[in-house]
Amino acid sequence: MSRAELRKQLDELLYYHSIDVAQGEATKGWFDLRHALPLMPFPDVQGKRCLDIGTWDGFYAFEMERRGAAEVVALDVPDLSGIDYPPEVRAQEGFDPFHSDQQPRQAGFQLIHRLLDSKVEWRGGNVYDLDPEAHGTFDVVILGSLLVHLRDPVRALDAVRKVVKPDGQFLCVDFVHAPVQALARRGRPLFELRGEGVDFQWWLASEPGLRQLLKVGGFDIDEVSPFFLLRPGEALGAAPARRGPVRELGRKSLTWMVARDTTRGGHPHRAYLTHRRF
C-alpha cells in the first residue's frame, strides 16, 4: 500500500505504545519507549522462545521478533474486565468493567501484526494465571510497566517465575515514583499505596522497592539500566501542567533527580535483567 494508505489505516485506531511499523511510519501512541531500548539490558533473544506479558499493542513482542526470536507469545487480558480496578471504581453506579464503548483490546495489535506480516502469537490471559502446564516455559520473559498497576505484584512475579526456564532470563521494566525515591534512604524499599482512581495504580515504588519486589518474587538481578522516562507519545503530546507552578517545578526537579530528563508528562522507569533464584 502507499504511505498515505498506511497512515490512514494506522490513524483509525488508538494505541498505548509508539511502534515503528513501515515506510517510516509509526503508531501515534500514548507513550513512547523507543528511545529507551538502547538503555535497557535487553537479553539476546536470537532463536529463543519468548513471552511478552501485558503486551497491549505488542511493543516488546514485535521488538523480540525483530531481534530474531524463534517464537514469541504476546499475553494480555482479552478485555478490560480482567484488570485490577480499585474497589471504589467497581462500586460506582453504572460502571462497565468491559469499557464496551472503547475499541477492542486487541485491535491495535492485530493491525500491526498484519502490517508487519508477523508470526507473534497473541494469547488471552492474566499474569496471575500463568502456568507452565498451560503456557509452557520460556527462555526470555518481558514484563513492562505492569507491576505498578497490579494489586498483588508479588503474586504476579511468583507466577512469572514459574514460566521462566531454569536457565532463562526475565526483563522487568517498571515505574519508579520520584517522590518516594527521594525518601528511600539507605536503600529502604519504600512504596506509596494508591489503589484509587481510574488509573488503577497500586504500589508506587522506590527503586529499592522494585529490587525488593523482584527478590521476594524469586529473582536475582544481573544487570540494571540507567533511569529513563516513559515519554508521552504523539497521541498525548506536550500535555499542559495539571499542577500549580510550585508543584510543577517540584515534580520536574524530582524527575530530573531520578532520570535526568524533564520531558513533560514522562514517568521515570528502570529495567532489570534477572534470573530465577529458585
Side-chain angles (χ1 to χ4, degrees), residues 125-143:
N126 195 302
V127 62
Y128 296 129
D129 299 325
L130 281 169
D131 183 343
E133 292 190 5
H135 301 93
T137 56
F138 298 85
D139 301 294
V140 174
V141 176
I142 296 182
L143 181 78

Side-chain angles (χ1 to χ4, degrees), residues 7-20:
R7 185 72 264 163
K8 182 176 182 297
Q9 286 199 33
L10 290 174
D11 288 348
E12 289 175 350
L13 296 174
L14 300 174
Y15 306 88
Y16 185 85
H17 289 112
S18 301
I19 301 174
D20 293 317

Side-chain angles (χ1 to χ4, degrees), residues 86-225:
E88 70 169 10
V89 174
R90 288 192 176 275
Q92 292 173 3
E93 184 177 356
F95 172 66
D96 175 13
F98 296 92
H99 288 272
S100 307
D101 59 334
Q102 296 184 11
Q103 71 183 32
R105 182 73 166 179
Q106 305 173 42
F109 178 93
Q110 289 175 341
L111 175 59
I112 299 169
H113 189 275
R114 178 170 59 82
L115 293 174
L116 293 177
D117 192 25
S118 171
K119 302 298 188 294
V120 172
E121 177 192 356
W122 188 94
R123 292 187 65 175
N126 195 302
V127 62
Y128 296 129
D129 299 325
L130 281 169
D131 183 343
E133 292 190 5
H135 301 93
T137 56
F138 298 85
D139 301 294
V140 174
V141 176
I142 296 182
L143 181 78
S145 303
L146 185 60
L147 293 179
V148 68
H149 296 302
L150 298 178
R151 184 165 58 182
D152 193 343
V154 175
R155 177 186 167 201
L157 288 170
D158 185 37
V160 171
R161 179 181 51 78
K162 294 173 183 176
V163 298
V164 177
K165 291 182 178 180
D167 60 347
Q169 294 176 294
F170 171 47
L171 180 66
C172 182
V173 186
D174 224 288
F175 173 61
V176 176
H177 191 41
V180 176
Q181 176 67 11
L183 300 173
R185 306 300 183 189
R186 300 182 183 275
R188 296 177 62 192
L190 301 182
F191 298 82
E192 176 188 334
L193 174 60
R194 188 70 57 85
E196 57 188 4
V198 295
D199 290 337
F200 54 93
Q201 296 176 344
W202 284 91
W203 299 97
L204 282 64
S206 64
E207 198 275 339
L210 287 179
R211 288 177 177 268
Q212 184 70 4
L213 275 179
L214 288 167
K215 179 180 178 180
V216 300
F219 295 95
D220 278 334
I221 297 171
D222 298 314
E223 295 183 56
V224 180
S225 75

